[in-house]
Amino acid sequence: MKHLFLTAMILIAPHSARAFDIQQVQPGIWAIEGPAEQRSPENLGNNATFGLIESSDGAVLVDPGGTWAGAEALHDTVRSLTDQPVTHVINTGGQDHRWLGNGYWAAQGATIIASADAVADQTARASMQLTALTMLVGEAAAGTDPVHADTVFEDSYSLTVGDRRIEIAHPAAAHTPGDSYVWLPEERVIFTGDIVYVGRILGVMEFSNSASWLEAFAAIETLDPEHLVPGHGPATTLAQAQADTRDYLVNLRNRMRDHIDGGGDIIGAVEVDQSGFAYLDQFDALARRNAQAVFEQMEWE
Ligand SMILES: [Zn+2]
């Protein structure tokens, strides 16, 4: 056992794909799944799922990594999958792992694309995010500067890279105000960013919008994707995303509506029944906090 362990350590030596689980969803299209854990010096802030689209003339990265060093580690993984240079990087939202690696990719000459709402959210939260990253990732966060997209769109943006047609859309605010999905209509693959969490309970934060999150999810359903790469978790199906993200939100909002209509207060709000979703990772840590956030939003709906 000890020998096996040592071999594994050598295989995952520095600057390798150590923390990533890679899934090919179609030829030349991959999900690059970071660890489902808090940001740390080991994962370099890459605690999310990223995407890679190879084309006949360049490669497109869906989300840049959470730090400069995280982006560099992601680049090593990209190189192990394709010889094409990364020509475009898409930011699917405003969370740190959706944009704080931008500086590295800008230095490589890539075009960086994001929705205007995502850029506004990134700008508003940059200093808070950098403070948190420095605490959690430590010295490995060095060199990480807030660099924003050079190509910014309002609702949607289409591009053709080599032989790939790529459609980016920001349907509505979801986990963050500027969340977007990336859709490949010919391959029927969607990268959802933080609109979809699979296997792990989603987080309703003070900057989230649980009502329009369901609208964003419905926009994804309309496309009827064959392969879905979530913002957190492994590549999966629309049905799994419906179970773990849509149904979770619908249950929480329906129960909260009953609670509020019955005169319930915020103390009782954390007790609304979410037990059907106790199978999700981090349920115990986040379910009650989500309930509190949804109560605060729904009080005013
Ligand atoms: Zn995220």
Side-chain angles (χ1 to χ4, degrees):
M1 272 321 280
K2 199 169 187 184
H3 291 295
L4 278 177
F5 178 71
L6 283 173
T7 310
M9 287 301 287
I10 291 160
L11 285 175
I12 56 172
H15 290 280
S16 73
R18 55 182 165 184
F20 296 118
D21 186 357
I22 294 159
Q23 301 126 31
Q24 177 159 283
V25 292
Q26 287 276 40
I29 304 174
W30 296 270
I32 303 175
E33 185 190 357
E37 62 193 23
Q38 183 50 278
R39 297 145 183 84
S40 71
E42 289 71 39
N43 65 40
L44 306 172
N46 285 341
N47 60 339
T49 302
F50 307 94
L52 180 65
I53 305 159
E54 179 186 49
S55 86
S56 57
D57 187 23
V60 177
L61 185 63
V62 181
D63 294 315
T67 53
W68 177 288
E72 219 171 5
L74 197 50
H75 200 182
D76 285 339
T77 297
V78 167
R79 286 195 191 95
S80 74
L81 298 171
T82 180
D83 294 332
Q84 292 286 346
V86 172
T87 55
H88 297 76
V89 176
I90 299 164
N91 298 167
T92 62
Q95 284 297 76
D96 47 359
H97 38 246
R98 308 288 167 215
W99 77 283
L100 278 175
N102 281 351
Y104 173 83
W105 295 105
Q108 317 306 307
T111 295
I112 301 171
I113 307 167
S115 74
D117 285 347
V119 173
D121 178 36
Q122 294 163 4
T123 305
R125 292 194 290 133
S127 95
M128 237 168 53
Q129 289 177 341
L130 284 165
T131 303
L133 265 183
T134 305
M135 270 169 46
L136 295 166
V137 176
E139 282 172 18
T144 304
D145 290 318
V147 171
H148 297 286
D150 47 70
T151 301
V152 177
F153 64 91
E154 291 298 323
D155 299 321
S156 63
Y157 184 80
S158 297
L159 70 160
T160 300
V161 180
D163 53 346
R164 301 283 192 192
R165 215 171 88 224
I166 299 170
E167 296 173 2
I168 310 169
H170 166 45
H175 177 62
T176 75
D179 285 342
S180 299
Y181 63 71
V182 178
W183 168 235
L184 282 75
E186 276 146 47
E187 297 82 0
R188 308 199 66 74
V189 174
I190 196 159
F191 297 88
T192 68
D194 284 331
I195 300 169
V196 176
Y197 286 53
V198 163
R200 206 204 100 173
I201 190 171
L202 57 79
V204 184
M205 315 294 285
E206 63 280 9
F207 47 77
S208 307
N209 185 321
S210 68
S212 64
W213 194 330
L214 286 168
E215 291 167 32
F217 194 94
I220 288 171
E221 287 175 311
T222 305
L223 299 169
D224 193 24
E226 260 171 44
H227 305 272
L228 186 149
V229 179
H232 294 274
T236 185
T237 58
L238 179 61
Q240 191 66 51
Q242 287 167 328
D244 290 0
T245 290
R246 182 197 63 183
D247 294 354
Y248 174 80
L249 276 173
V250 167
N251 175 72
L252 180 53
R253 287 182 51 83
N254 285 346
R255 303 232 183 219
M256 199 58 71
R257 175 49 56 213
D258 291 346
H259 176 73
I260 291 169
D261 289 351
D265 61 8
I266 195 159
I267 308 291
V270 299
E271 305 294 346
V272 301
D273 188 4
Q274 304 185 61
S275 59
F277 299 87
Y279 69 91
L280 294 169
D281 282 355
Q282 298 184 37
F283 179 85
D284 292 338
L286 294 180
R288 292 162 70 91
R289 201 191 69 188
N290 284 347
Q292 194 173 336
V294 167
F295 176 89
E296 285 168 347
Q297 293 164 15
M298 290 188 74
E299 248 191 316
W300 307 103
E301 278 178 14

